[in-house]
Amino acid sequence: MKIFLLTYLLVCPFFCSGQALPYIHHTEIGVLMGKDAFGQRGNFSVQTLQGVRFDRHQEMGFLIGLDSYPGITIMPIGMGWRGIIYPQNWFSWYGGFDLGYGSTILERMELGDWGLHSWFEGGIMYQPSIGFRLRSNGNSTFTFSLGYKHQVANYYEGMPSEDPWRERLDPRDPVHWTSLRRDRMVFRNLSIKVGYAWR
């Protein structure tokens, strides 16, 4: 919730000021490559950044995406920054940094035998990247980037001490649980993405 509030406070002044700064879109699609207990993996990723261009060299905005990992789908939400070198050229280098929270809102709580509860919760996400842009016309460019994406998530499994069929129990309150286990998952990824940016 704090991430949403911070994002709103940072982005809203730009969007509510009559579009004083140029509005930009940057949508990317690609693969997240990493390693887990079962070996090498490659997972689908899509992300869009909606924001403003502060000057010829810097863009910043709100981002939302979808990352499909083995057994879990995470929706990254946060802020993204892009810095562009020689933006006036048809070929230009750029760097980026994304910071936010990986939401597991698409994952449902499972109620198993005897009232066993299991569910996912998200965690911090950050991603530095570097890439290049190819201008297709005056207002749009194709992009290619390499980056490192760090995503944290948590898996909970527990037996409630109260009504076992009650769905919303606080995992941080031990009074609600006879037993509760948390497994922390950290996804470390090489990110390879292509995209399209326009304004």
Side-chain angles (χ1 to χ4, degrees):
M1 194 62 185
K2 292 179 181 178
I3 293 292
F4 287 108
L5 180 59
L6 179 61
T7 300
Y8 176 79
L9 293 175
L10 289 174
V11 175
C12 187
F14 302 119
F15 296 158
C16 298
S17 60
Q19 299 281 341
L21 297 173
Y23 187 72
I24 58 99
H25 313 258
H26 186 196
T27 298
E28 297 174 286
I29 187 171
V31 63
L32 301 175
M33 301 175 66
K35 192 174 183 179
D36 57 25
F38 301 101
Q40 298 291 333
R41 58 174 174 78
N43 308 113
F44 174 77
S45 176
V46 61
Q47 175 177 291
T48 184
L49 183 142
Q50 311 288 319
V52 293
R53 177 170 293 172
F54 290 101
D55 56 41
R56 295 173 63 190
H57 301 280
Q58 295 190 78
E59 301 170 351
M60 186 173 181
F62 173 79
L63 66 87
I64 188 168
L66 190 70
D67 298 332
S68 177
Y69 294 105
I72 180 174
T73 299
I74 297 179
M75 181 182 293
I77 302 168
M79 299 293 294
W81 170 84
R82 303 291 181 266
I84 308 162
I85 302 174
Y86 303 121
Q88 70 277 9
N89 296 345
W90 73 271
F91 175 92
S92 58
W93 294 99
Y94 79 97
F97 187 78
D98 301 334
L99 177 65
Y101 178 81
S103 171
T104 56
I105 193 170
L106 300 178
E107 297 291 335
R108 296 178 54 190
M109 175 181 283
E110 299 291 335
L111 297 179
D113 295 337
W114 309 105
L116 182 69
H117 287 55
S118 61
W119 71 96
F120 290 99
E121 287 189 6
I124 190 171
M125 175 277 300
Y126 63 86
Q127 176 176 283
S129 59
I130 188 170
F132 62 84
R133 298 158 61 111
L134 297 173
R135 183 187 297 175
S136 61
N137 60 49
N139 293 322
S140 61
T141 56
F142 293 98
T143 66
F144 175 84
S145 69
L146 294 174
Y148 168 76
K149 189 163 195 175
H150 185 97
Q151 174 69 66
V152 176
N154 296 284
Y155 175 74
Y156 289 89
E157 189 175 73
M159 182 66 71
S161 58
E162 303 174 355
D163 179 2
W165 308 111
R166 180 180 167 190
E167 292 192 8
R168 293 299 175 191
L169 295 170
D170 186 357
R172 293 161 191 83
D173 188 350
V175 174
H176 293 167
W177 302 96
T178 302
S179 64
L180 181 64
R181 189 187 86 224
R182 185 188 77 159
D183 294 327
R184 186 172 184 265
M185 300 178 294
V186 180
F187 298 101
R188 299 177 177 91
N189 307 284
L190 170 65
S191 167
I192 304 174
K193 294 184 178 181
V194 294
Y196 185 66
W198 73 98
R199 62 181 175 86

